């Protein structure tokens, strides 16, 4: 197999080609992916069958079978991730990408993972949520030695329960995770499971956040609260691939959170149920309909829905500043401030000066404001009706009638049927003399206070 061109397009179906006995005694050849496109699902060429997931703007790691054991090879290394078109960030990841490739196995599989460290410092891999021998848990110094630069360690255990899990370092964790070291692990059930439904489409992605100064390429690793790049699988809108579904299909979406805060993930136009966590499937009796689920730090949430409303539906984090690009968090509020005559005077001194915030920040979506090189704009993205004015953790859920089962291509913008789009009122205009907001404290009936007159010649204190 070709090491750096294994996935040159959507995906390759050749995941684990036959190899000689001599090669089986050596390390598996690491497969490297550099494209940020969403790869097609990787159907298992051997081992027990399962329905594969689609990793949003990611891919699934191929394996080889060796005496009944699934062998994978992860390479921890420095990578450059294209977070959005023209916006590149220096990260640390696995096999050419951040996040690293998704590992897919089946309940009961014996798994062997070779981890080669090409970072400038030691690392480990923790298999978040797995039941495994203590010495395979990946906490450096506690239950294994740290993996020195240039060395390869081997993890081996049985995938004991189905579910949605993650992997990440437990060695200099603050720095390495801030630099993007993380990945997904999916364990499929070995047979029909009473709490796990069959679905037509199965999506998965991780939530990640970075602090990248305008014009810079390397995240600020010591940041704890003030992040400015919010991503699904280290991609920011409009570079996040849409999730597509055929009308009437049952869809599963798996979301993991390795940021420093919680994320209320919200979908428009549909209801869903949380059907699983990193602890396993949720019993059917414990589920209820939602349109938003909060994914806390270190958690996985698995949601399922029926795609029964055609259209292009927003799918995003409901923390509003998480659907923005690299905005400044110390910008003063200028709404309502009269700048009349001021801009021209300032431009005589600073020719590139632009007024921001007098009427809110919506104008930023259309501004062609000069930005430092390699800086992601605060608002971006265009739709069929104009600027979408979003960024960060935002994409679309596109439901279409007649979509083929294995078709994951973007179907383009939805054509709404006539009479189903909000429109401008063309009748009698609103009475211009209607009451308007009054100045604070002057509304009819508003409470008022006054200072009493001095008593006995002394001022009140």
């Amino acid at each position: 197999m070709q090491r750096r061109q294994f996935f040159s397009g959507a995906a390759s179906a050749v995941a684990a080609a036959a190899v000689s006995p001599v090669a089986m005694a050596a390390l598996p050849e690491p497969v490297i992916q550099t494209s940020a496109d969403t790869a097609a699902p990787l159907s298992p060429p051997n081992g027990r069958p399962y329905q594969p997931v689609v990793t949003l703007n990611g891919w699934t790691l191929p394996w080889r079978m060796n005496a009944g054991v699934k062998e994978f090879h992860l390479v921890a290394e420095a990578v450059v991730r294209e977070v959005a078109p023209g916006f590149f960030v220096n990260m640390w990841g696995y096999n050419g990408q951040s996040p690293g490739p998704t590992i897919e196995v089946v309940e009961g599989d014996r798994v062997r993972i070779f981890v080669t460290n090409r970072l400038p410092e030691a690392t480990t891999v923790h298999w978040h949520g797995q039941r495994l021998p203590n010495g395979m848990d990946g906490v450096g110094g506690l239950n294994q030695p740290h993996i020195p630069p240039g060395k390869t360690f081997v993890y081996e255990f049985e995938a004991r329960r189905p579910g949605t899990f993650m992997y990440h370092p437990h060695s200099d964790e603050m720095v390495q995770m801030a630099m993007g070291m993380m990945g997904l692990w999916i364990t499929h059930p070995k047979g029909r499971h009473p709490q796990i439904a069959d679905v037509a489409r199965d999506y998965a992605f991780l939530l990640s956040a970075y602090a990248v100064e305008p014009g810079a390429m390397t995240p600020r690793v010591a940041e704890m609260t003030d992040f400015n790049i919010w991503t699904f699988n280290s991609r920011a809108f409009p570079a996040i691939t849409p999730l597509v579904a055929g009308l009437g299909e049952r869809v599963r979406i798996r979301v993991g959170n390795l940021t420093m805060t919680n994320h209320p993930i919200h979908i428009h136009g549909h209801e869903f149920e949380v059907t699983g966590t990193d602890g396993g499937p949720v019993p059917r009796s414990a589920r209820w309909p939602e349109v938003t689920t909060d994914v806390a730090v270190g958690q996985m949430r698995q949601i399922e829905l029926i795609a029964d409303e055609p259209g292009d539906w927003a799918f995003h984090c409901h923390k509003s500043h998480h659907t923005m690009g690299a905005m400044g968090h110390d910008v003063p509020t200028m709404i309502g401030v009269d700048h009349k005559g001021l801009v021209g005077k300032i431009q005589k001194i600073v020719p590139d000066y632009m007024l921001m915030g007098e009427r809110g920040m919506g104008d930023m979506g259309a501004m062609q404001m000069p930005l430092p090189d390699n800086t992601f704009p605060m608002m971006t993205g265009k739709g069929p009706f104009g600027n979408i004015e979003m960024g960060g953790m935002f994409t679309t859920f596109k439901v279409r009638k007649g979509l083929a089962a294995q078709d994951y291509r973007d179907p383009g913008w939805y054509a709404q049927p006539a009479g189903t789009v909000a429109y401008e009122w063309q009748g009698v205009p609103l009475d211009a003399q209607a009451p308007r907001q009054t100045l604070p404290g002057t509304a009819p009936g508003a409470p008022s206070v006054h200072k009493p007159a001095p008593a006995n010649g002394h001022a009140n204190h």
Side-chain angles (χ1 to χ4, degrees), residues 118-319:
R118 291 181 181 162
L119 298 173
E121 67 168 358
T123 191
T124 65
V125 180
H126 167 58
W127 313 100
H128 185 113
Q130 300 281 358
R131 291 289 189 100
L132 36 59
N134 181 250
M136 296 291 171
D137 193 46
V139 181
L142 176 65
N143 46 43
Q144 73 157 86
H146 297 266
I147 307 173
K151 299 296 184 180
T152 297
F153 274 39
V154 182
Y155 296 86
E156 187 168 344
F157 53 91
E158 180 184 326
R160 291 167 54 182
R161 60 190 181 91
T164 307
F165 310 105
M166 302 180 275
Y167 63 87
H168 61 79
H170 246 299
S171 178
D172 194 12
E173 183 175 341
M174 183 191 78
V175 169
Q176 294 185 15
M177 290 181 66
M179 289 292 287
M181 296 191 72
M182 60 191 72
L184 284 159
W185 177 298
I186 310 297
T187 301
H188 298 278
K190 61 184 176 182
R192 294 197 64 84
H193 192 289
Q195 306 294 344
I196 301 176
D198 293 331
V199 296
R201 296 173 194 262
D202 197 336
Y203 291 99
F205 62 92
L206 289 171
L207 306 173
S208 49
Y210 305 95
V212 183
E213 299 285 356
M217 284 188 66
T218 303
R220 195 170 60 242
V221 297
E223 185 55 61
M224 291 184 285
T225 59
D226 197 18
F227 298 91
N228 61 359
I229 305 297
W230 303 95
T231 67
F232 290 174
N233 259 24
S234 296
R235 291 279 279 185
F237 180 78
I240 301 172
T241 301
L243 292 79
V244 301
L247 188 65
E249 289 183 335
R250 186 175 187 88
V251 179
R252 178 181 294 129
I253 304 171
R254 309 171 190 248
V255 185
N257 181 7
L258 285 174
T259 73
M260 301 281 274
T261 188
N262 64 307
H263 297 279
I265 299 300
H266 173 59
I267 193 166
H268 293 207
H270 295 78
E271 306 85 32
F272 59 75
E273 290 181 340
V274 176
T275 60
T277 72
D278 31 8
V282 175
R284 295 181 187 276
S285 60
R287 304 174 188 176
W288 62 87
E290 291 270 19
V291 297
T292 304
T293 186
D294 197 37
V295 187
V297 179
Q299 286 186 339
M300 304 292 308
R301 286 294 178 266
Q302 178 180 294
I303 67 174
E304 292 178 25
L305 58 91
I306 303 298
D308 54 4
E309 294 287 349
D312 295 339
W313 302 102
F315 180 70
H316 61 96
C317 176
H318 216 291
K319 287 187 175 181

Side-chain angles (χ1 to χ4, degrees), residues 60-109:
T60 291
L61 185 63
W63 67 87
R64 73 178 183 190
M65 296 299 297
N66 187 356
V69 178
K70 279 185 178 176
E71 292 187 336
F72 300 84
H73 193 168
L74 284 175
V75 178
E77 60 182 352
V79 303
V80 177
R81 178 68 161 175
E82 187 178 19
V83 175
F87 175 49
F88 297 87
V89 177
N90 294 325
M91 295 186 183
W92 290 357
Y94 302 91
N95 297 59
Q97 285 286 11
S98 169
T102 297
I103 294 175
E104 289 188 77
V105 300
V106 178
E107 179 186 12
D109 277 353

